[in-house]
Amino acid sequence: MNKINRKVVRTEDLNFWQKLYIPEILKGMKITIRQMFLPKFTRQYPEEKWIPPPSFRGRPVLVEENGKERCVACGLCSRVCPALAIEVQAAETELSKERYPVKFEINMLRCIFCGLCEEACPEEAIVMSKDYELTFFSQEEAIFGKDKLLMPIDELKDRLEFLRKYR
Amino acid sequence: MVKIQIDGKEYQAEPTKTIIEVARDNGIHIPHFCWHPRLSVSGNCRMCLVEVEKNPKLVIACATKVADGMIVHTANERVIKAREAIMEFLLINHPLDCPICDEAGECKLQDYAYKYSKGYSRFEEEKVRKPKRVALGPNVMLDVERCIMCSRCIRFCNEIAKTPQLVFTKRGDHVELTTAPGEELNNPYSMNVIELCPVGALTSRDFRFKARVWEMSSTESICRGCARGCNINIWVRNNEILRLTPRYNPEVNDYWMCDYGRLNTFKYVNSGDRIKSPMINKEGELIEVSWEEAIASAVFKLKNFKKSEIAGISSAFATNEDNYIFAKFIKQVLGSSNIDFMKHNVGNDDNLLIRADKTPNSLGTIAVGAIPGEKGMNFDQILNGIKSGTIKCLYVLCDDIAISDEIINALSKIDCLIVNSPIRNNLTSIADIVFPSATYAEKNGTFTNFQGRVQRIRPAVATAEIDRTLDGLAQSRLDKFGAPNDRWTKGVKIDARPTWRIIVAIANAMNHKFKYNSAEEIFNEISTNIDAFKNLNYMKIGNKGALLNIKLIKYYKPVTV
Ligand code: SF4
Ligand code: SF4
Ligand code: SF4
Ligand code: SF4
Ligand code: FES
């Protein structure tokens, strides 16, 4: 068996004061203590919430207008979703839009918040919200149906405006 | 033969053909909407414009016959410009309906808009509004706004279905497709206009909004609705059949299929009536049991009877393979020659596709020998035998023969009734042992149509013992990329087996060596043992079928008209 002899090469040897360690520790302490008297950046989450800007991509939601979803169940978001998170089942409605999603589900464990669904939607019916708080106790709980996805249009004004301006 | 040049290449062509036909025969695609190989030329959409040298104007390729020395350009700048203009013209009044339109994804107008148009619109005026959601008949829905007035549907009704039921009214951009007042689009072939319509103006009422076309997988198969055996595609999502569409086969069904076959031959596959497990009748009630127990019980019962007391009913709904194995089982294992199938004839043959024989495989059942031959009893004799008590044990293959009170009364007196069936019906309710059998959409096999054409069916729906990926079934995008815990991979899987596998298991349990692992192995044995099938194999049958030698079928007397 060959024994591997590797010599440790130091680029720089420690000088005397450094070898003593004590002054180095004191230097570190100085930085720490100074921070205690500077202004604080820590946010007291969850007591104190962060409101993201309109460009933020939180969980995708369905736009609810006049008590109805805008969605026509075209399935384009479902097709474009790279994570296969969206499942749509269309059905016929008396409304002039002819079809609506009788079932619309997003598996939040699959969603990667890429925003492609929002981009593909021809009806501006699915948009990225500001909601980033997602916790579940089971896989089933992470599948959001229409009950959790529908969000009144008033709460989404920011985002819709942002999309019109910058997309 | 004349010589013509298309896009710089020379081709030989018959002078009776049009430019579009010659181009198509040589693999050159000239975009078109109104032209169809089986319909008369109407030349109204102008999409097929091409340049013919020495001709001042562009000509329509669908209506221009080829001539010697003709030089055609299908994709030069002038032609491309003309196509862009035609597309712009067609899209002026076309609604922005793609998101709600069932045609999206298989729409000629959509495809051509990508391929041959500019990609933007200059039209700022109001589009013409026309009626939407018009039920043209029991099976077809019309959206007049989407119609591009190609008249294919009208010509189909006039020329192929021979029932003039559709017309145009009004003029210019106000043209509307309609039926005469009080009339309906209800001919037996009406749904073929759905595929013919190059846009989403005509769509299926049955399939309406059920799925987007890109969400489904499609499997090449054969319609089980009658002895024609139209070639079809089976469209499946989440292991559920959502629609059937015709598949081109010039020898059998051309581009068409009938509405009956399209609508009434697949829904039982995913219905709640499916039998979910083998069942045994215990004290007047059918109890679900394991396969082992049901097979053991069948073996125990079958051993109780003399050869002459046993009869088998083969099935013209089952495949050649199923019937061959069944005949071998009845004859070799049980030693009886009493085997025949029930005929299901309704009405008359028509001049296009529909056959009076409403089963897909009567000829195959005869050809593989699942019939009495010289010694055995035929269907009526078996029935009389049951009534008189000489037949005490009956095995019925995949066919609900309990269609009249007379038969039900006779069968309920019998000592032992074993049934293979995919669904619960009158017959299974009075059976002693029931085996759940796979439907035509869940197994491999072949049907022989009335012409003697042997055609392949393939599994499109997975059963408990089939894995969609490992067993090579057609897959949609979701099937391909889903994980086992995704809901869409959890579609219902029925614990059913192909009939031949059930029979093989029983034969083996009776100590006969039936060594078959696939339908193909059985077919190879058929082609070795039965003259009519000589030289045939699954490879040769392919996806268009292959003729067996009808003259060599024993005990078959073709009816001469
Ligand atoms: S944000 Fe992206 S991953 Fe999430 S549902 Fe939309 S397309 Fe799918
Ligand atoms: S893309 Fe928009 S309209 Fe289409 S199904 Fe998704 S949310 Fe609905
Ligand atoms: S309904 Fe379809 S097939 Fe009929 S004329 Fe209009 S576009 Fe053509
Ligand atoms: S003619 Fe027969 S085989 Fe063809 S589609 Fe109709 S039922 Fe099916
Ligand atoms: S295909 Fe030639 S004019 Fe329509």
Side-chain angles (χ1 to χ4, degrees), chain B residues 20 31-35 42-49 60-63:
Chain B
I20 206 169
H32 57 274
F33 287 111
C34 69
W35 180 77
S42 110
N44 61 46
C45 75
R46 320 307 282 183
M47 190 61 197
C48 63
L49 285 172
I60 48 173
C62 66

Side-chain angles (χ1 to χ4, degrees), chain B residues 434-508:
Chain B
V434 180
F435 290 103
S437 57
T439 64
Y440 83 114
E442 293 162 330
K443 62 183 176 187
N444 277 302
T446 52
F447 288 145
T448 309
N449 82 348
F450 77 103
Q451 304 159 308
R453 183 166 288 272
V454 185
Q455 309 192 90
R456 282 269 274 121
I457 57 167
R458 298 173 180 78
V461 174
T463 55
E465 57 167 14
I466 300 181
D467 182 277
R468 188 167 283 281
T469 314
L470 297 179
D471 292 307
L473 272 62
Q475 291 179 303
S476 68
R477 175 169 161 269
L478 292 179
D479 296 330
K480 264 185 212 150
F481 301 116
N485 62 345
D486 280 316
R487 282 147 305 146
W488 66 81
T489 60
K490 291 185 182 151
V492 183
K493 279 178 150 196
I494 305 275
D495 188 12
R497 295 183 185 172
T499 272
W500 63 265
R501 290 231 309 145
I502 299 168
I503 305 293
V504 163
I506 299 173
N508 283 330

Side-chain angles (χ1 to χ4, degrees), chain A residues 61-63 70-78 80 86 88 101 104 117-118 120-127, chain B residues 99 212:
Chain A
V61 295
L62 288 177
V63 180
R70 272 186 177 176
C71 172
V72 296
C74 70
L76 292 185
C77 51
S78 163
V80 82
I86 307 179
V88 191
F104 196 112
C117 46
E118 174 186 65
C121 181
E123 305 289 331
E124 219 173 48
I126 189 167
V127 295
Chain B
R212 310 255 69 187

Side-chain angles (χ1 to χ4, degrees), chain B residues 156 160-161 186-192 223 225-230 252-253 256-262 264 344-359 450:
Chain B
F156 174 83
I160 309 284
N186 61 358
N187 67 67
Y189 297 97
S190 71
M191 294 180 84
N192 290 296
C223 171
C226 74
R228 167 78 54 180
C230 289
V252 182
N253 57 311
W256 330 117
M257 75 186 290
C258 76
D259 291 7
Y260 168 79
R262 192 189 295 246
N264 298 316
H344 297 264
N345 285 24
V346 179
N348 296 314
D349 303 344
D350 77 356
N351 292 326
L352 191 54
L353 302 174
I354 298 170
R355 307 290 302 176
D357 178 358
K358 291 290 170 243
T359 60
F450 77 103

Side-chain angles (χ1 to χ4, degrees), chain B residues 49 85 382 427 515 528:
Chain B
L49 285 172
I382 293 173
L427 186 64
K515 287 193 173 143
T528 324

Side-chain angles (χ1 to χ4, degrees), chain B residues 208-439:
Chain B
R208 190 165 169 81
F209 300 162
K210 285 229 174 92
R212 310 255 69 187
V213 293
W214 55 81
E215 295 170 345
M216 297 177 285
S217 64
S218 89
T219 307
E220 293 180 339
S221 189
I222 301 300
C223 171
R224 69 187 285 288
C226 74
R228 167 78 54 180
C230 289
N231 291 212
I232 56 165
N233 278 312
I234 302 180
W235 297 79
V236 170
R237 187 190 62 180
N238 296 357
N239 213 32
E240 185 186 355
I241 305 182
L242 296 180
R243 68 169 182 178
L244 306 180
T245 54
R247 178 165 59 90
Y248 173 61
N249 187 338
E251 307 296 333
V252 182
N253 57 311
D254 222 359
Y255 294 91
W256 330 117
M257 75 186 290
C258 76
D259 291 7
Y260 168 79
R262 192 189 295 246
L263 295 174
N264 298 316
T265 61
F266 72 89
K267 288 182 185 155
Y268 76 106
V269 175
N270 296 100
S271 77
D273 291 341
R274 286 299 295 274
I275 298 169
K276 298 195 176 65
S277 145
M279 295 187 290
I280 295 182
N281 191 329
K282 287 183 182 157
E283 284 136 29
E285 224 182 305
L286 281 170
I287 310 285
E288 295 195 349
V289 295
S290 69
W291 282 92
E292 290 74 25
E293 189 178 341
I295 289 167
S297 152
V299 173
F300 179 78
K301 290 215 160 163
L302 287 169
K303 281 186 175 157
N304 280 341
F305 299 95
K306 289 201 221 94
K307 291 174 182 179
S308 59
E309 292 170 343
I310 299 179
I313 303 295
S314 49
S315 166
F317 290 107
T319 61
N320 293 324
E321 291 81 352
D322 291 336
N323 279 306
Y324 174 81
I325 289 296
F326 186 60
K328 190 169 169 177
F329 174 73
I330 296 286
K331 289 176 185 168
Q332 289 184 11
V333 178
L334 304 181
S336 164
S337 306
N338 307 326
I339 173 171
D340 200 0
F341 67 98
M342 187 182 214
K343 296 181 183 59
H344 297 264
N345 285 24
V346 179
N348 296 314
D349 303 344
D350 77 356
N351 292 326
L352 191 54
L353 302 174
I354 298 170
R355 307 290 302 176
D357 178 358
K358 291 290 170 243
T359 60
N361 198 29
S362 314
L363 191 53
T365 309
I366 298 169
V368 299
I371 45 168
E374 266 133 29
K375 298 173 287 179
M377 296 168 133
N378 67 20
F379 190 86
D380 292 333
Q381 289 163 336
I382 293 173
L383 207 61
N384 288 334
I386 294 170
K387 284 183 203 152
S388 67
T390 50
I391 295 291
K392 298 200 169 103
C393 171
L394 190 70
Y395 198 129
V396 185
L397 209 66
C398 308
D399 192 353
D400 185 8
I401 61 167
I403 49 168
S404 67
D405 289 344
E406 184 202 352
I407 299 179
I408 296 176
N409 286 339
L411 288 177
S412 38
K413 283 196 206 93
I414 203 163
D415 288 352
C416 169
L417 177 61
I418 307 178
V419 174
N420 284 9
S421 176
I423 54 170
R424 291 167 187 278
N425 52 33
N426 290 340
L427 186 64
T428 59
S429 63
I430 52 172
D432 295 299
I433 303 175
V434 180
F435 290 103
S437 57
T439 64

Side-chain angles (χ1 to χ4, degrees), chain A residues 72 74 79 81 84 87 89-95 97-99 105 110 122 139 143, chain B residues 99-100 102 132-133 143 208-210 212 214 237 477-478 481-483 485-488:
Chain A
V72 296
C74 70
R79 177 62 184 84
C81 178
L84 307 183
E87 197 174 325
Q89 178 59 55
E92 185 142 16
T93 159
E94 291 306 312
L95 300 173
K97 67 178 184 180
E98 290 193 29
R99 52 191 276 161
E105 289 179 352
R110 271 188 169 276
Q139 294 199 358
I143 294 166
Chain B
I100 57 162
D102 269 342
K132 298 177 89 70
R133 279 201 261 202
D143 186 303
R208 190 165 169 81
F209 300 162
K210 285 229 174 92
R212 310 255 69 187
W214 55 81
R237 187 190 62 180
R477 175 169 161 269
L478 292 179
F481 301 116
N485 62 345
D486 280 316
R487 282 147 305 146
W488 66 81

